[in-house]
């Protein structure tokens, strides 16, 4: 397990008694999620879960944006096997669909599922852009507080992909809005997301962290075991409605799209998992679902 001082891409903070805050800290990459950040997020969340003094976990993104999604620019030669793999899928280097589904199962589907099931309340503090894989990080948290400027989008249909691997859209915004988000690739605003029930509160940007901390402290004042059980009860209700099975099914379609891209469009599966990195100087870091 990565220790606190080993983190390169996240910060672990203790802003108040009973509250841990895990901050994605790759501002130059708009907090795009590479392997390093994935496993450091996992280590930091595990650390918060391990600490009996921590009752509520806040997940935040260093300014200016919460997260631009998965980082397509590669991992400086590192592979999944270079990190403390948490799932049981293997064969990450196998050719074709076999390696890709293993890799994405580990870092994009089951990793998020693991975070969603942390037996402590979690709160996402979202500002600026929250795109594709960034959406998934917000979605796995129990509560989402957004600043007024926050926007949420999953534009990966443009890349020939059905939607981000952790397919929460229909559960988060309803089936009809989910289709519009996917079909158009356009962002919904924080106020839209609040109206649709995806976001708990919308607050001014300069108050975001303080308001989230205040909420976290209110929750942390309550008994942890009952909090865990109420979280479990809600998560189990979603599971009973078939949320996980639906996500697994959507993940299979996502993999079908990757294979189609390889077969028909001759897009190589590179170490980042999908598309060739954009050329230097082409603007914002590429991101994907
Ligand atoms: Zn994928």
């Amino acid at each position: 397990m990565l220790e606190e001082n080993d983190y390169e891409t996240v910060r672990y903070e203790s802003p108040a008694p009973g509250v841990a805050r895990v901050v994605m800290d790759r501002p130059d990459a708009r907090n795009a999620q590479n392997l390093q950040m994935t496993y450091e997020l996992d280590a930091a969340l595990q650390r918060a879960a391990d600490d009996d003094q921590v009752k509520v976990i806040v997940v935040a993104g260093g300014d200016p944006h919460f997260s631009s999604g998965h980082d397509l620019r590669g991992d400086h030669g590192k592979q999944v096997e270079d990190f403390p793999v948490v799932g049981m899928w293997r064969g990450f280097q196998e050719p074709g669909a076999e390696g890709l589904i293993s890799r994405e199962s580990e870092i994009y589907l089951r990793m998020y599922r693991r975070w969603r099931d942390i037996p402590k309340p979690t709160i996402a503090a979202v500002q600026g852009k929250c795109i594709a894989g960034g959406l998934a990080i917000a979605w796995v948290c129990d509560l989402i507080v957004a600043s007024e400027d926050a926007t949420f989008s999953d534009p990966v249909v443009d890349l020939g992909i059905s939607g981000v691997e952790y397919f929460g859209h229909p559960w988060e915004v309803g089936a009809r809005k989910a289709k519009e988000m996917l079909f158009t690739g356009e962002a919904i605003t924080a106020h839209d997301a609040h109206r649709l029930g995806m976001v708990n509160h919308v607050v001014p940007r300069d108050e975001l962290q303080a308001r989230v901390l205040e909420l976290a402290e209110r929750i942390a004042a309550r008994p942890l075991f009952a909090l865990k059980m109420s979280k479990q009860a809600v998560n189990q209700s979603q599971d009973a409605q078939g949320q996980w099975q639906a996500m697994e099914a959507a993940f299979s379609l996502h993999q079908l799209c990757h294979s189609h891209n390889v077969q028909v469009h001759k897009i190589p599966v590179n170490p980042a998992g999908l598309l060739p990195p954009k050329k230097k100087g082409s603007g914002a870091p590429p991101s994907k679902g």
Side-chain angles (χ1 to χ4, degrees):
M1 181 176 153
L2 294 161
E3 299 299 330
E4 178 186 13
N5 292 337
D6 295 332
Y7 301 152
E8 295 173 18
T9 61
V10 304
R11 298 196 310 271
Y12 187 98
E13 300 172 346
S14 304
V19 180
R21 184 162 55 208
V22 177
V23 185
M24 296 180 280
D25 191 21
R26 297 186 74 208
D28 294 344
R30 302 294 190 250
N31 296 324
Q33 189 188 334
N34 59 3
L35 283 174
Q36 189 75 26
M37 178 181 280
T38 301
Y39 283 95
E40 289 185 351
L41 270 174
D42 187 67
L45 292 169
Q46 182 71 59
R47 179 179 170 205
D50 288 345
D51 185 344
D52 289 338
Q53 302 304 310
V54 170
K55 295 172 72 178
V56 179
I57 305 167
V58 173
V59 178
D63 280 333
H65 298 290
F66 181 77
S67 174
S68 60
H70 299 152
D71 195 339
L72 274 188
R73 295 175 306 175
D75 289 281
H76 309 292
K78 289 189 177 176
Q79 308 291 340
V80 172
E81 299 90 322
D82 297 323
F83 295 89
V85 172
V86 299
M88 297 180 81
W89 285 67
R90 291 296 183 277
F92 304 115
Q93 304 307 323
E94 295 300 322
E98 185 176 1
L100 189 55
I101 194 171
S102 296
R103 183 179 193 278
E104 298 210 333
S105 177
E106 161 70 12
I107 61 174
Y108 296 149
L109 182 65
R110 285 172 175 74
M111 185 72 82
Y112 291 132
R113 170 81 176 182
R114 173 177 156 83
W115 299 341
R116 179 256 194 184
D117 287 338
I118 295 170
K120 292 179 181 180
T122 55
I123 308 173
V126 180
Q127 85 284 18
K129 293 191 188 312
C130 179
I131 302 172
L135 270 182
I137 293 176
W139 284 342
V140 298
C141 294
D142 299 313
L143 308 180
I144 301 176
V145 179
S147 62
E148 288 168 333
D149 66 307
T151 61
F152 302 87
S153 64
D154 183 2
V156 301
V157 166
D158 276 341
L159 306 178
I161 303 293
S162 47
V164 69
E165 290 84 355
Y166 189 88
F167 199 83
H169 320 60
W171 304 87
E172 297 289 349
V173 297
R176 205 169 298 283
K177 195 67 179 180
K179 289 174 183 169
E180 185 181 348
M181 281 181 76
L182 291 162
F183 292 172
T184 67
E186 291 167 5
I188 61 171
T189 65
H191 289 291
D192 286 340
H194 180 254
R195 180 174 49 79
L196 293 161
M198 189 186 109
V199 158
N200 292 83
H201 302 285
V202 180
V203 301
R205 174 135 176 185
D206 59 2
E207 296 178 16
L208 177 64
Q209 297 306 332
R211 295 280 290 274
V212 169
L213 186 56
E214 178 193 20
L215 177 60
E217 288 184 280
R218 287 212 313 274
I219 295 170
R222 313 190 78 214
L224 181 56
F225 183 61
L227 291 170
K228 287 181 193 178
M229 293 302 102
S230 47
K231 172 168 182 167
Q232 190 85 339
V234 175
N235 283 5
Q236 285 172 346
S237 299
Q238 292 178 312
D239 293 344
Q241 292 171 60
Q243 187 194 59
W244 181 239
Q245 286 88 343
M247 282 189 170
E248 289 262 31
F251 182 71
S252 300
L253 299 179
H254 177 106
Q255 297 304 320
L256 181 67
C257 291
H258 279 314
S259 292
H260 181 79
N261 281 347
V262 172
Q263 290 173 42
V264 176
H265 301 297
K266 311 300 179 197
I267 293 171
V269 177
N270 70 9
L274 177 62
L275 296 169
K278 278 187 181 174
K279 291 187 176 66
K280 276 188 178 166
S282 61
S287 59
K288 74 153 187 91

